[in-house]
Amino acid sequence: MARKRKGRDISGWLIVDKPAGMTSTAVVNKVRWALEAKKAGHAGTLDPEATGLLAVALGEATKTVPYITDALKAYAFTVRLGQATNTDDTEGEVISTSDLRPTDDEIKAALGTFVGEIQQVPPQFSAVKMDGERAYKRARDGEDMDLAARPLWVEELLLADRPDADTAMLEMTCGKGGYVRSIARDLGAALGCHGHVLTLRRLWSGPFDLDDAVTIEEIDALARTPELDSRLLPLETGLTDLPELRCTPEGATRLRNGNPGMVLGGDVEYGDEAWASFEGRPLAVGRFKAGELHPSRVFNLD
């Protein structure tokens, strides 16, 4: 018999401003402890030394994580020009150097080649799997892997500042699965001078931004208090990219039981993905077909 998980049945989103030196998993564990939550997860890993927005889903909100993971995200990051490292950030060893330093105009011209649908090779030290094993584990053993390129949508990539010849501050908006470290590495290669990431900060992710974020210090100070509960955003915040359909009473009953339920008309077409609500509460996500929502995920909020 499975052991019953202890904790509160609490659902929603807590937006955290992750500090450097803390893993995303450690942040989730801290939030789960502070809110005494049964279940928690995050929508998009940040490297331990990266900072910024980490969206932590609690309870039934974990069912909406894929919609945040797939959403656009924005980053501000600093590239050190003239050096390549084996990890593509400051955690690794310098493996190549160059005395060449590009001009601002040369950087701006090169950035244009990284906008749109691009192919990106993940860093050697990354969590992608190769033959069933994480790449970073094999890289730690000294193996040089031939990782396959992956598609990435880059909405925007701008030069925000140039503090000195060695440093370029960039801002990027991109889709799912982007490695900022790979952008820094490949930009350095395109400019002929090498490059790696010095600092990285996530500014927003889908509907969430840092204006809604709490710090780790605030989580510690407000742990297990109503004040921390009040910082939660509702489950449906993670569904803002999907249209909302309102249920009839009979449709709500059917959806709660996992069956297709009747919904009122909305700005959707046959086969579109949407979410359904009844009396202001989210019930399910699914596909709209012939006046009904066919659920793929049902929220148990009662």
Side-chain angles (χ1 to χ4, degrees), residues 72-262:
L72 289 175
K73 302 167 180 63
Y75 300 90
F77 61 105
T78 306
V79 178
R80 169 62 161 93
L81 301 170
Q83 293 180 346
T85 71
N86 62 342
T87 59
D88 301 318
D89 61 14
T90 59
E91 295 297 291
E93 300 176 358
V94 175
I95 54 176
S96 298
T97 62
S98 171
D99 293 328
L100 178 66
R101 295 295 182 272
T103 66
D104 289 8
D105 287 342
E106 288 172 333
I107 293 174
K108 291 175 183 178
L111 291 177
T113 65
F114 293 91
V115 176
E117 189 77 36
I118 68 170
Q119 293 291 318
Q120 184 184 79
V121 177
Q124 293 283 305
F125 284 80
S126 63
V128 300
K129 286 188 175 182
M130 186 173 184
D131 299 328
E133 190 174 9
R134 299 290 184 186
Y136 63 79
K137 292 183 178 180
R138 299 174 68 160
R140 285 172 185 164
D141 293 333
E143 184 176 349
D144 186 14
M145 292 159 290
D146 185 16
L147 298 176
R150 299 179 173 204
L152 171 67
W153 173 257
V154 178
E155 185 87 5
E156 189 175 55
L157 182 59
L158 302 172
L159 177 65
D161 196 8
R162 186 78 185 277
D164 53 58
D166 293 338
T167 312
M169 301 179 69
L170 307 179
E171 293 182 359
M172 179 174 73
T173 302
C174 68
K176 176 183 178 181
Y179 283 96
V180 174
R181 288 180 290 147
S182 292
I183 294 289
R185 177 200 66 205
D186 295 346
L187 176 63
L191 292 168
C193 66
H194 308 301
H196 67 270
V197 169
L198 285 179
T199 64
L200 168 62
R201 183 165 176 78
R202 185 187 284 157
L203 305 176
W204 54 264
S205 178
F208 304 124
D209 62 48
L210 287 170
D211 290 340
D212 298 318
V214 296
T215 65
I216 292 297
E217 291 76 16
E218 288 176 309
I219 292 171
D220 280 329
L222 300 176
R224 307 191 176 197
T225 68
E227 287 82 1
L228 188 58
D229 285 8
S230 72
R231 300 299 296 270
L232 287 178
L233 299 177
L235 176 155
E236 57 266 31
T237 312
L239 298 172
T240 53
D241 285 344
L242 295 179
E244 177 185 0
L245 298 172
R246 307 197 185 276
C247 291
T248 65
E250 297 80 7
T253 299
R254 288 183 56 80
L255 281 171
R256 288 191 183 101
N257 292 320
N259 299 311
M262 185 175 294

